[in-house]
Amino acid sequence: MGRLGVPPARALELLRKIAQSPHLELAGIMSHLAATRGALDPSGQAQVRSFDAFLDAARAITPNLGWIHMANSAGISSGLGSRYDTVRPGLAAYGAMPNDLPGAEHLRPVMRLRSQVVFLKDLPQGAPVGYESTWRAEHPTRIATLPIGYADGLPWRASPGGAVLIRGQRAPIVGRISMDYTTVDVGQIRDVAVGDRATLIGCDGGETIRLGDVARWADTIPYEISCSLGRRVHRRYVGGEDLPVP
């Protein structure tokens, strides 16, 4: 990655100094895949070969290399999960992964983002909604307003194209997402009422909106969406109280 650590050409020199020092003990050796598709990418495969070549040379200097790891979420999905001592899943630990990586469809999302309907308005055909009036009703419909916006981490670019789940059905986001509010078209959903739950990430009924879906609508990566939730979003942690910690 070039962010931290040392280049492969200098790594053996550093390892010798560590092995010769009576005050240091090597805890482990790691590399981080630069390719977002992991070992499915030719550059990722080249990085794995470089890392393996270094490990072969390193074992000639000292038999104890500590924990060896390279596989992030993309590395696990591309076959590196059992190659070294351990793995370090990032986004996959939240049950999410870029949709084009193997196994993404089998992950169960553990993070949900929910809001609620706070206002309903009936609109005639041609009525505009949002800044710059970028959306106008093609026919008479009903709009629901949600008290969540880009200040809370819902990306501004997720409209048009994005949606939320209300009463187990998709309600398209209409108009530009504001700092504090988002408007959705609920004209085709029966009996929507103020106070109804709106799911922006997660499952409702038989429908699911994943982190990857929101990222695609906003033309970004799932990691940015999961890291962008604002301080106003109330966090509630469910389960995990009895999770054994090794």
Side-chain angles (χ1 to χ4, degrees):
M1 288 284 284
R3 303 179 301 190
L4 300 169
V6 295
R10 292 191 54 203
L12 288 177
E13 175 189 350
L14 177 60
L15 181 63
R16 290 190 184 94
K17 291 182 178 180
I18 294 174
Q20 294 167 2
S21 173
H23 307 296
L24 295 177
E25 180 178 342
L26 184 64
I29 297 175
M30 59 86 70
S31 184
H32 190 84
L33 288 162
T36 58
R37 289 177 53 78
L40 298 178
D41 189 288
S43 67
Q45 297 168 14
Q47 189 175 348
V48 172
R49 291 194 296 270
S50 176
F51 189 58
D52 285 343
F54 165 76
L55 293 176
D56 289 341
R59 291 187 178 97
I61 297 174
T62 175
N64 182 19
L65 299 180
W67 291 96
I68 299 173
H69 49 103
M70 187 183 200
N72 56 4
S73 294
I76 296 169
S77 73
S78 58
L80 300 182
S82 59
R83 193 179 184 94
Y84 306 111
D85 295 330
T86 187
V87 297
R88 47 175 203 278
L91 190 66
Y94 289 86
M97 199 126 67
N99 293 333
D100 59 346
L101 289 178
E105 69 278 9
H106 300 302
L107 292 174
R108 296 177 58 188
V110 298
M111 189 181 85
R112 293 182 293 190
L113 177 61
R114 287 174 169 171
S115 185
Q116 64 178 337
V117 176
V118 295
F119 192 74
L120 290 165
K121 178 185 285 188
D122 291 321
L123 296 181
Q125 182 178 356
V129 171
Y131 285 108
E132 303 294 342
S133 300
T134 56
W135 181 88
R136 292 178 180 270
E138 296 181 356
H139 47 73
T141 191
R142 173 168 286 189
I143 298 300
T145 299
L146 316 177
I148 186 170
Y150 58 76
D152 304 297
L154 184 62
W156 181 81
R157 296 186 302 275
S159 175
V164 307
L165 302 178
I166 298 178
R167 294 186 173 243
Q169 300 182 57
R170 289 188 175 243
I173 298 173
V174 295
R176 288 186 175 176
I177 295 171
S178 303
M179 181 186 296
D180 305 309
Y181 292 103
T182 297
T183 46
V184 298
D185 188 346
V186 294
Q188 302 302 314
I189 304 176
R190 295 184 58 184
D191 301 326
V192 175
V194 170
D196 278 357
R197 182 176 64 197
T199 300
L200 296 97
I201 299 173
C203 303
D204 186 2
E207 289 279 354
T208 301
I209 293 178
R210 295 177 175 269
L211 275 172
D213 297 326
V214 180
R216 186 177 68 256
W217 298 332
D219 193 25
T220 185
I221 56 176
Y223 308 85
E224 182 177 3
I225 304 300
S226 62
C227 291
S228 297
L229 298 184
R231 294 182 179 180
R232 299 189 306 187
V233 177
H234 174 70
R235 271 74 167 171
R236 186 163 70 94
Y237 301 93
V238 179
E241 295 86 356
D242 300 323
L243 184 67
V245 178

